[in-house]
């Protein structure tokens, strides 16, 4: 009887251990999310280590433990300047994130400081160098420092791609030409 009980206990413990499917490296803390229609177009990390995701439906903030949604649609690009301010380029709008009275980040638009003729530019790329931020559309570059728009640069026709190389903003066009700013 004692042998049967011992054999039965051993068999049951093997079944229970196998049911857990623990690999030799441990169990990772993974949460899987179902896919949705939103697209993430840009990701930046600020100096505190917080991640920001430019998304069709919002700006998503992740601090390593919690996700926070900052309401704003059609965000295409993000950058972080030397003062740790997150700059945002979106469809028809651009600006930055700034804490409100309760410390939650909100979007502050800079387009109200523009002439009416250039207010609806779609900002595809945003770059920050020092305290200066470059908001780039297909036809213009808005050069901004803090809340001041320093300059609006008209790009040559057929311009389509911008990137930073060191301290220089480079713009290419469909004729394989480069412009430096």
């Amino acid at each position: 009887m004692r042998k049967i009980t011992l054999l039965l206990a051993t068999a049951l413990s093997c079944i229970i251990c196998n049911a857990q499917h623990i690999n030799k490296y441990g169990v990772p803390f993974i949460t899987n999310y179902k896919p949705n229609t939103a697209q993430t177009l840009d990701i930046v990390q600020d100096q505190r280590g917080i991640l920001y995701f430019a998304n069709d439906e919002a700006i998503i903030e992740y601090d390593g433990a919690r996700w926070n949604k900052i309401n704003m649609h059609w965000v295409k690009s993000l950058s972080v300047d030397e003062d740790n301010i997150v700059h945002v380029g979106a469809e028809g709008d651009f600006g930055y994130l700034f804490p409100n009275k309760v410390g939650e980040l909100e979007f502050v638009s800079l387009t109200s400081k523009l002439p009416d003729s250039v207010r609806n530019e779609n900002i595809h790329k945003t770059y920050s160098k020092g305290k200066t931020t470059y908001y780039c559309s297909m036809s213009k570059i808005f050069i901004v420092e803090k809340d001041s728009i320093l300059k609006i640069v008209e790009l040559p026709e057929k311009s389509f791609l911008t990137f930073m190389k060191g301290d220089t903003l480079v713009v290419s066009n469909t004729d394989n030409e480069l412009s430096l700013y």
Side-chain angles (χ1 to χ4, degrees):
M1 183 70 176
R2 187 175 172 123
K3 288 182 182 180
I4 293 174
T5 306
L6 185 60
L7 183 63
L8 188 58
T10 305
L12 283 175
S13 66
C14 288
I15 291 170
I16 292 170
C17 288
N18 274 342
Q20 293 181 9
H21 299 289
I22 298 175
N23 64 34
K24 66 181 178 180
Y25 303 110
V27 180
F29 296 105
I30 296 176
T31 303
N32 293 311
Y33 298 94
K34 293 181 181 180
N36 60 19
T37 57
Q39 292 182 352
T40 297
L41 299 174
D42 203 0
I43 302 170
V44 296
Q45 185 174 20
D46 70 10
Q47 296 164 8
R48 300 173 297 155
I50 295 176
L51 294 169
Y52 299 88
F53 300 83
N55 188 296
D56 286 349
E57 297 175 354
I59 299 169
I60 309 298
E61 177 186 29
Y62 181 64
D63 66 3
R66 291 178 307 280
W67 295 89
N68 183 35
K69 185 176 180 181
I70 301 165
N71 289 323
M72 184 175 181
H73 292 289
W74 300 107
V75 180
K76 297 185 180 282
S77 61
L78 301 168
S79 68
V80 180
D81 69 15
E82 72 177 21
D83 292 331
N84 206 34
I85 295 172
V86 178
H87 294 270
V88 179
E91 197 166 299
D93 206 353
F94 66 88
Y96 57 92
L97 299 179
F98 198 76
N100 61 18
K101 292 178 183 179
V102 294
E104 296 172 345
L105 290 177
E106 289 182 342
F107 176 71
V108 177
S109 177
L110 295 174
T111 55
S112 63
K113 298 178 181 231
L114 294 171
D116 290 340
S117 60
V118 293
R119 279 197 181 170
N120 289 320
E121 291 288 320
N122 292 327
I123 305 301
H124 296 282
K125 293 300 282 180
T126 305
Y127 306 98
S128 292
K129 189 67 180 170
K131 293 183 184 289
T132 304
T133 300
Y134 304 85
Y135 297 95
C136 304
S137 74
M138 298 295 259
S139 62
K140 293 174 184 53
I141 300 171
F142 300 93
I143 303 172
V144 175
E145 196 169 291
K146 297 205 179 197
D147 281 345
S148 300
I149 296 174
L150 302 177
K151 190 175 184 182
I152 301 172
V153 177
E154 288 284 336
L155 294 176
E157 274 192 48
K158 303 179 186 177
S159 296
F160 73 97
L161 179 67
T162 61
F163 58 94
M164 287 294 285
K165 176 68 176 153
D167 289 339
T168 305
L169 180 65
V170 181
V171 180
S172 66
N173 64 27
T174 56
D175 295 331
N176 294 325
E177 299 171 339
L178 297 177
S179 302
L180 307 177
Y181 297 93

